[in-house]
Amino acid sequence: APGGMSASAASLEQSISELDAAGLAPDCLAKLLARQPRALPPLLSHSPAALLAALRDTKGLPPAAQLIAAEPLLLTLDDVKLRAALDYLEPFVCAANRSAAEFVARQPQALLWRAEASSPVLETLREMGLDQRAVDRVSRWSPARQLASGDGARRSLSWLGRTLGLDAAALGRLVASFPPVVGLEPARLAASHAFLASEAGEAAAAAAL
């Protein structure tokens, strides 16, 4: 606001204060945000107080500051999303006689796993025009739930489309036959393509990919 602090600056100041009170010092927070800039926007728009309280009140979890230091993107959650994430994880860990909280204590990034229907990777596949069979195949590939963003899948599929001349239908067939391709970076795909092309020719390289 003119002559005063903007709303986002005020929100950030409040967020820093609340995180400091939870044990995450401002200098440590600055290093985390430099490492993971996508954790910053939530601090500009709303207070992390509800998330911090929910983390504190969940039996079996380490201190909130410890979890956030291990996975800064936890700051993108709120208390409702945290509880939903814990509920989502419970069936996957109960078979091992462990609670979701115990599992998260070892793997804080698990709180970012999504139900298949809301996975950003699957949303990206739909946006790029891939058919439901490809989406379903990726939804059953469990590492897809660990990806908090669909940007990597978009880069990989865009590279494949440009390099191999594949349209959405062909990309869908490729993804359905080999779901992990959505998690491969273009540099790795390019290296594999170059090697195959040098050994077996361009047509064979395209077919192998």
Side-chain angles (χ1 to χ4, degrees):
M5 185 180 295
S6 70
S8 59
S11 179
L12 179 59
E13 184 176 90
Q14 180 181 354
S15 296
I16 291 172
S17 176
E18 291 169 348
L19 289 166
D20 191 15
L24 190 61
D27 59 333
C28 294
L29 176 61
K31 292 176 183 177
L32 293 178
L33 294 176
R35 190 177 92 211
Q36 183 50 271
R38 286 192 291 127
L40 176 59
L43 301 182
L44 296 172
S45 60
H46 61 269
S47 162
L51 169 65
L52 294 172
L55 288 169
R56 183 183 63 243
D57 294 342
T58 301
K59 184 179 179 181
L61 286 183
Q66 181 179 329
L67 288 169
I68 293 169
E71 179 47 81
L73 284 176
L74 295 185
L75 291 170
T76 63
L77 303 177
D78 56 24
D79 57 325
V80 175
K81 290 179 180 177
L82 172 68
R83 293 189 184 97
L86 290 169
D87 289 344
Y88 174 72
L89 288 172
E90 199 71 46
F92 293 94
V93 298
C94 66
N97 294 317
R98 296 164 64 189
S99 70
E102 291 171 327
F103 185 73
V104 168
R106 294 173 179 270
Q107 300 191 61
Q109 73 275 12
L111 286 172
L112 301 173
W113 294 4
R114 312 285 188 91
E116 288 88 344
S118 62
S119 165
V121 172
L122 303 188
E123 292 169 6
T124 295
L125 299 184
R126 294 187 183 100
E127 290 171 5
M128 297 187 71
L130 274 66
D131 60 26
Q132 190 59 42
R133 179 169 176 267
V135 173
D136 290 343
R137 288 278 288 147
V138 173
S139 76
R140 293 194 290 272
W141 178 58
S142 60
R145 293 192 294 270
Q146 302 179 37
L147 303 176
S149 167
D151 294 344
R154 188 182 301 278
R155 288 193 298 271
S156 298
L157 295 178
S158 295
W159 184 91
L160 288 166
R162 289 193 307 271
T163 305
L164 304 182
L166 304 180
D167 59 14
L171 284 172
R173 290 192 293 273
L174 172 60
V175 169
S177 65
F178 186 61
V181 74
V182 303
L184 300 179
E185 284 294 327
R188 186 172 175 183
L189 290 169
S192 297
H193 179 263
F195 173 77
L196 290 169
S198 66
E199 294 295 317
E202 186 69 27
L209 284 175

